[in-house]
Amino acid sequence: MLQIKDVYASVEEKDILKGISLSVNAGEVHAIMGPNGAGKSTLASIIAGKEEFELTKGHITIDGEDITELDAEERAHKGVFLSFQYPVEIPGVSVTNFIKTAINENRKAKGLKDMPASEMLKKIKEKADLLEIDRKFLSRSLNVGFSGGEKKRNEIFQMAMLEPKLAILDETDSGLDIDALKVVANGVNKLKNKDNAVIVITHYQRLLDYIVPDFVHVIMDGKIVKSGTKQLAYELEEKGYDWIKEELV
Amino acid sequence: MSKYTEDDLKKELETKEYEYGFYTDLESETFPIGLNEDIVRAISKKKQEPQWMTQWRLDAFKVWKSMQEPQWANVNYKKPDFQAIAYYSAPKAVDPNKTLDDVDPELLAMYKKLGISVDEQKKMNNVAIDIVVDSVSVATTFKKTLSEKGIIFMSISEAIKEHPELVKKYLGTVVPTKDNFYASLNSAVFSDGSFCYIPKGVRCPMELSTYFRINQAGTGQFERTLLIADQGSYVSYLEGCTAPSRDENQLHAAVVELIALDDAEIKYSTVQNWYPGSAEGKGGVYNFVTKRGLCERNAKISWTQVETGSAVTWKYPSCILKGDNSIGEFYSIAVTNNYQQADTGTKMIHLGKNTRSTIISKGISAGKSQNSYRGLVKINASAENARNFSQCDSLLMGNECGAHTFPYIEVKNKTAKIEHEATTSKIGEDQIFYCNQRGIDTEKAIALVVNGFSKEVLNKLPMEFAVEAQKLLEISLEGSVG
Ligand SMILES: Nc1ncnc2c1ncn2[C@@H]1O[C@H](COP(=O)(O)OP(=O)(O)OP(=O)(O)O)[C@@H](O)[C@H]1O
Ligand SMILES: [Mg+2]
């Protein structure tokens, strides 16, 4: 589904990604780990199409179509979803209004009419229940005054509403307490099927006990330096990253 | 060189008039440019006004002559030449040969976005309507309902003739003829406007002027409004139109006076969308408005405004809280884009005991525009336990615009409680990207952020107006980022 071929990217003249290749098939879960500042969020942003980042070399395709020239919203319309490491506040815009707008804009791109209000309400109720989100929460301004955990849960709520083909979860586990982690992971697992794929970016093996990856990749200094199975995550938890560095030299 | 004759003058005037787009009976309908006592008299005569009204205008003119244009506002513009303006022009007539095809396509595109019906579009552009539609019967039922309740709602010219006792009693009591330069000018030369009286204890059953607002769009550059809510009555009044107005008059100086007697309530909502000038800052309307309301005991006046038009705006809808327990409110959204300049805000003058006021001002600046909030909260010695809450938020788009706040507070009574909050924020790239990532394009994302920012004020508008105003905000800011 997703093909990343030898991607180099920079921001403000600074090279951050230095030749990343990754292939994700439908039905798979990939985990990406790596030290702070390695380029994990940058990779997520490059896939999602953030303009600040310049793709200097390489290609990204989804279902065989090159998306490197597409705007962020066009990629979203193709089913790319990013759960942000740092979700953004929009004062005065309720969670409900925001997701309603997002859904209808996605439908518009597909030539569909707005979702009927009754269907929208039903869907919101269903997904809020799945993620154990209080109805009152939905009328609050998007991310304004949300706790760290609430922000992350709200990201996954949006994912559940939009039903993306490719979901990238950037440190969705950080800030979640153990119960919340289970709820969110359970939500992700419920949405998982043979036609979509998930990339989870995390520092902790714990999340991977709940969202079980098919592959684990380690990014260091803008490159994927090691790939393996879930076993690799245990090793990293135990030994840190130094041994990989040593292996490299 | 041959002598400049009377005929030459006449010809020149004719071409001038043609330029300004009048079609009927040119000679008798338009006055020569310039302002003097004779012109003031002529306006009054043209309108068949009684002697007292003529005198009132002349007194105002005398005062005006001795006044200077105010300089304190944070706006920069070339001062109008008051002797180069024609002070009376008849309303534009329907041109039987004109069709919508003759109208600026850009304007038509905007109507479409605002969802304005074809008939309304025709009315606004003086295009004859072939089939007389519903609106006529709507207006008739509307008038009937009002008269059954004893509500008077008519043009101020009609009111001067039909209800002189009311006009005489209240005109100029809230905004005196000598109040300020533009108010004096308006008093001398006002063209027309609206008059409204709600009798004791009557709750006006509809938003006033909802059905008339398109027709009223052409009331001219010196509009005068007088609205009286008698004891215990209630009225919600809508002024203006979301549709863009391409008035060729550069200078607009309106006066609005509101009187809320004991226990009465007036809600006054405005959408101002005069021509803002080109994207390069050429042309556009100068809008210098004086709006003020007087509250007697337990009365309440709410001003709500959405200001998106005009090249220069100078406007401070105010409340004089004279009666004990009276309430004044001001909710405002002012949008400036390109080279627009707005200096707007309010004055809350607390005289009575337990008077309360609320000010919520939202300024949105884009392009190279300048947007200023200027507000005065004055608590007199007599105003025991007065309260005010003010909140002024500014939203900036891009790096070339400016937002300014000038809050003035004068407190002469120690029991007063005053709170003031102010914020300035910028639409961030991060906010836009977040929306983009969810499938929302940049234009829609800006609209979403702006609507969120303006929500507290939009919520104060009557429902149908709010929807239009929301669309108007989007259109006004189109193309301002990215
Ligand atoms: N807008 C930017 N301007 C300058 N440098 C940037 C910008 N965005 C990211 N960087 C730099 O790029 C590098 C990679 O950042 P990135 O956010 O991708 O790391 P990460 O692997 O997600 O780290 P973490 O685990 O801390 O989230 C860092 O050195 C960071 O400072
Ligand atoms: Mg990161």
Side-chain angles (χ1 to χ4, degrees):
Chain A
M1 171 193 292
L2 172 72
Q3 298 288 337
I4 300 174
K5 282 182 214 139
D6 198 28
V7 158
Y8 285 72
S10 63
V11 62
E12 288 166 7
E13 317 268 296
K14 185 178 159 198
D15 295 326
I16 298 173
L17 301 184
K18 302 166 182 170
I20 291 211
S21 295
L22 179 66
S23 166
V24 177
N25 296 313
E28 291 178 351
V29 176
H30 289 239
I32 291 178
M33 302 182 82
N36 293 131
K40 304 182 297 296
S41 295
T42 304
L43 178 62
S45 299
I46 272 284
I47 299 170
K50 190 168 186 176
E51 273 178 25
E52 274 171 82
F53 295 94
E54 196 193 344
L55 188 89
T56 48
K57 198 179 157 211
H59 285 283
I60 303 171
T61 61
I62 284 189
D63 293 336
E65 186 193 347
D66 193 330
I67 61 162
T68 42
E69 292 298 318
L70 296 185
D71 289 337
E73 64 270 23
E74 294 170 319
R75 301 183 195 202
H77 300 154
K78 297 214 174 295
V80 175
F81 179 90
L82 172 59
S83 167
F84 284 71
Q85 184 174 1
Y86 305 108
V88 176
E89 296 183 0
I90 308 186
V93 177
S94 69
V95 174
T96 309
N97 186 15
F98 183 76
I99 197 64
K100 188 186 95 190
T101 308
I103 285 196
N104 285 334
E105 288 298 301
N106 278 289
R107 288 173 68 100
K108 197 161 86 189
K110 293 184 180 73
L112 297 171
K113 286 214 173 67
D114 282 1
M115 184 181 274
S118 59
E119 198 182 320
M120 185 76 78
L121 280 172
K122 193 167 151 260
K123 188 161 183 167
I124 288 174
K125 187 178 168 329
E126 184 193 317
K127 304 301 181 188
D129 286 349
L130 173 67
L131 292 158
E132 298 180 19
I133 288 172
D134 184 9
R135 218 61 52 76
K136 263 188 242 137
F137 181 82
L138 299 173
S139 55
R140 285 175 59 182
S141 284
L142 190 72
N143 292 319
V144 178
F146 286 14
S147 74
E150 284 168 344
K151 283 183 184 167
K152 297 304 172 72
R153 198 186 289 231
N154 178 41
E155 292 291 289
I156 301 305
F157 168 69
Q158 292 180 40
M159 169 185 160
M161 290 296 292
L162 291 164
E163 300 174 337
K165 200 169 357 171
L166 173 70
I168 306 164
L169 314 185
D170 192 356
E171 298 200 24
T172 301
D173 53 337
S174 62
L176 290 179
D177 64 43
I178 299 186
D179 292 338
L181 183 70
K182 282 185 196 160
V183 172
V184 164
N186 178 45
V188 173
N189 288 331
K190 284 249 169 69
L191 298 166
K192 192 79 223 29
N193 63 40
K194 64 176 184 2
D195 298 318
N196 58 24
V198 182
I199 297 174
V200 285
I201 297 170
T202 182
H203 286 294
Y204 307 105
Q205 176 307 115
R206 194 183 63 191
L207 173 69
L208 306 179
D209 282 344
Y210 300 106
I211 304 175
V212 183
D214 301 297
F215 302 95
V216 175
H217 311 277
V218 179
I219 293 191
M220 284 171 87
D221 192 24
K223 287 187 282 276
I224 293 183
V225 293
K226 202 170 180 65
S227 295
T229 60
K230 190 172 177 294
Q231 193 54 38
L232 180 55
Y234 283 111
E235 271 178 77
L236 292 170
E237 180 96 347
E238 213 173 291
K239 303 196 265 181
Y241 292 106
D242 283 350
W243 63 278
I244 302 185
K245 271 187 216 153
E246 278 156 26
E247 257 184 29
L248 286 175
V249 285
Chain B
M1 219 173 113
S2 63
K3 222 173 87 198
Y4 192 72
T5 65
E6 195 88 28
D7 271 338
D8 293 328
L9 175 68
K10 204 173 146 197
K11 271 212 189 79
E12 199 176 290
L13 281 175
E14 269 173 16
T15 41
K16 255 235 161 57
E17 287 150 2
Y18 184 73
E19 242 171 58
Y20 286 116
F22 294 98
Y23 308 106
T24 49
D25 200 5
L26 293 174
E27 279 165 86
S28 63
E29 291 302 301
T30 309
F31 285 16
I33 56 173
L35 187 54
N36 54 44
E37 252 189 53
D38 289 342
I39 295 279
V40 176
R41 265 184 230 281
I43 292 170
S44 192
K45 187 167 172 227
K46 182 94 218 161
K47 302 178 82 60
Q48 300 169 317
E49 288 175 355
Q51 173 56 30
W52 61 268
M53 194 65 235
T54 314
Q55 196 51 48
W56 196 85
R57 286 178 183 273
L58 286 170
D59 292 347
F61 177 69
K62 237 180 235 134
V63 177
W64 179 74
K65 271 200 307 196
S66 68
M67 293 174 113
Q68 294 288 321
E69 246 190 299
Q71 308 287 346
W72 43 262
N74 186 28
V75 290
N76 258 309
Y77 60 94
K78 194 171 162 287
K79 302 275 175 276
D81 177 357
F82 294 95
Q83 293 305 336
I85 297 172
Y87 285 86
Y88 181 85
S89 43
K92 280 196 206 168
V94 166
D95 178 356
N97 299 318
K98 199 178 176 189
T99 72
L100 273 185
D101 293 338
D102 300 326
V103 176
D104 181 358
E106 199 186 312
L107 212 55
L108 293 179
M110 224 176 268
Y111 291 154
K112 206 171 148 208
K113 284 188 202 160
L114 284 163
I116 291 167
S117 76
V118 172
D119 281 334
E120 280 179 312
Q121 295 181 22
K122 286 183 177 172
K123 271 194 207 170
M124 280 184 285
N125 289 286
N126 308 309
V127 174
I129 299 172
D130 344 272
I131 319 152
V132 181
V133 270
D134 269 4
S135 61
V136 173
S137 57
V138 169
T140 323
T141 16
F142 182 76
K143 280 212 165 113
K144 195 164 157 251
T145 318
L146 291 182
S147 69
E148 275 167 5
K149 301 237 173 207
I151 294 169
I152 305 167
F153 183 41
M154 54 178 58
S155 75
I156 191 125
S157 315
E158 286 174 289
I160 288 166
K161 282 175 233 155
E162 290 178 34
H163 300 280
E165 68 302 336
L166 282 172
V167 177
K168 235 184 196 166
K169 186 168 172 193
Y170 291 107
L171 189 73
T173 56
V174 188
V175 179
T177 47
K178 57 175 179 297
D179 190 78
N180 68 70
F181 185 84
Y182 303 113
S184 301
L185 178 63
N186 174 287
S187 303
V189 302
F190 69 85
S191 28
D192 211 337
S194 306
F195 175 85
C196 174
Y197 171 81
I198 316 288
K200 270 182 202 162
V202 169
R203 207 185 150 80
C204 184
M206 56 193 67
E207 314 279 355
L208 270 196
S209 102
T210 307
Y211 298 111
F212 289 123
R213 65 172 199 271
I214 303 295
N215 299 340
Q216 282 186 336
T219 32
Q221 56 187 141
F222 301 104
E223 201 173 339
R224 184 99 198 180
T225 303
L226 177 60
L227 204 161
I228 304 139
D230 211 331
Q231 292 174 16
S233 68
Y234 167 84
V235 63
S236 167
Y237 187 94
L238 305 179
E239 169 201 64
C241 180
T242 50
S245 310
R246 286 271 169 102
D247 195 312
E248 47 302 84
N249 295 315
Q250 260 235 300
L251 175 68
H252 281 244
V255 171
V256 175
E257 294 179 277
L258 308 185
I259 293 125
L261 297 178
D262 292 359
D263 304 299
E265 180 177 348
I266 301 174
K267 243 179 97 104
Y268 195 100
S269 313
T270 306
V271 170
Q272 185 267 114
N273 191 18
W274 294 110
Y275 183 49
S278 71
E280 294 76 40
K282 284 222 184 72
V285 165
Y286 295 170
N287 196 25
F288 303 112
V289 187
T290 307
K291 291 184 164 177
R292 197 173 300 149
L294 178 78
C295 286
E296 297 286 356
R297 273 179 82 88
N298 304 323
K300 177 175 172 183
I301 289 179
S302 293
W303 297 101
T304 305
Q305 59 173 23
V306 177
E307 301 278 322
T308 60
S310 299
V312 180
T313 300
W314 182 99
K315 181 180 176 190
Y316 316 90
S318 306
C319 297
I320 301 170
L321 303 173
K322 178 171 165 239
D324 293 349
N325 313 315
S326 60
I327 298 173
E329 295 176 338
F330 174 74
Y331 303 100
S332 168
I333 303 169
V335 179
T336 52
N337 198 356
N338 299 320
Y339 287 87
Q340 282 176 278
Q341 307 176 64
D343 192 304
T344 181
T346 183
K347 288 185 213 161
M348 293 291 174
I349 315 290
H350 293 250
L351 305 176
K353 296 188 183 69
N354 306 314
T355 45
R356 278 181 288 148
S357 62
T358 305
I359 299 171
I360 310 276
S361 160
K362 305 275 181 178
I364 301 163
S365 0
K368 296 186 196 304
S369 67
Q370 296 296 328
N371 202 325
S372 303
Y373 166 80
R374 186 182 303 277
L376 168 68
V377 176
K378 187 170 176 174
I379 315 277
N380 258 44
S382 55
E384 285 295 307
N385 293 315
R387 301 266 176 282
N388 164 266
F389 173 75
S390 305
Q391 184 186 326
C392 305
D393 299 325
S394 311
L395 186 67
L396 296 167
M397 301 169 69
N399 298 319
E400 292 177 289
C401 52
H404 318 270
T405 40
F406 304 99
Y408 304 94
I409 297 169
E410 288 175 32
V411 179
K412 300 221 173 80
N413 185 309
K414 285 198 182 111
T415 59
K417 280 218 176 83
I418 291 185
E419 282 176 77
H420 180 90
E421 288 174 12
T423 66
T424 302
S425 51
K426 232 180 127 166
I427 294 195
E429 276 168 24
D430 286 348
Q431 278 175 323
I432 303 288
F433 176 62
Y434 189 87
C435 294
N436 289 162
Q437 207 299 306
R438 298 299 188 251
I440 301 166
D441 68 25
T442 301
E443 211 158 90
K444 189 92 190 171
I446 290 170
L448 203 63
V449 174
V450 166
N451 279 325
F453 175 78
S454 318
K455 199 169 113 194
E456 288 157 279
V457 177
L458 286 173
N459 282 349
K460 296 288 169 187
L461 288 171
M463 190 53 185
E464 54 183 300
F465 227 30
V467 176
E468 282 182 32
Q470 200 165 330
K471 277 193 254 171
L472 179 61
L473 291 182
E474 292 176 23
I475 292 169
S476 308
L477 291 167
E478 240 167 45
S480 51
V481 160

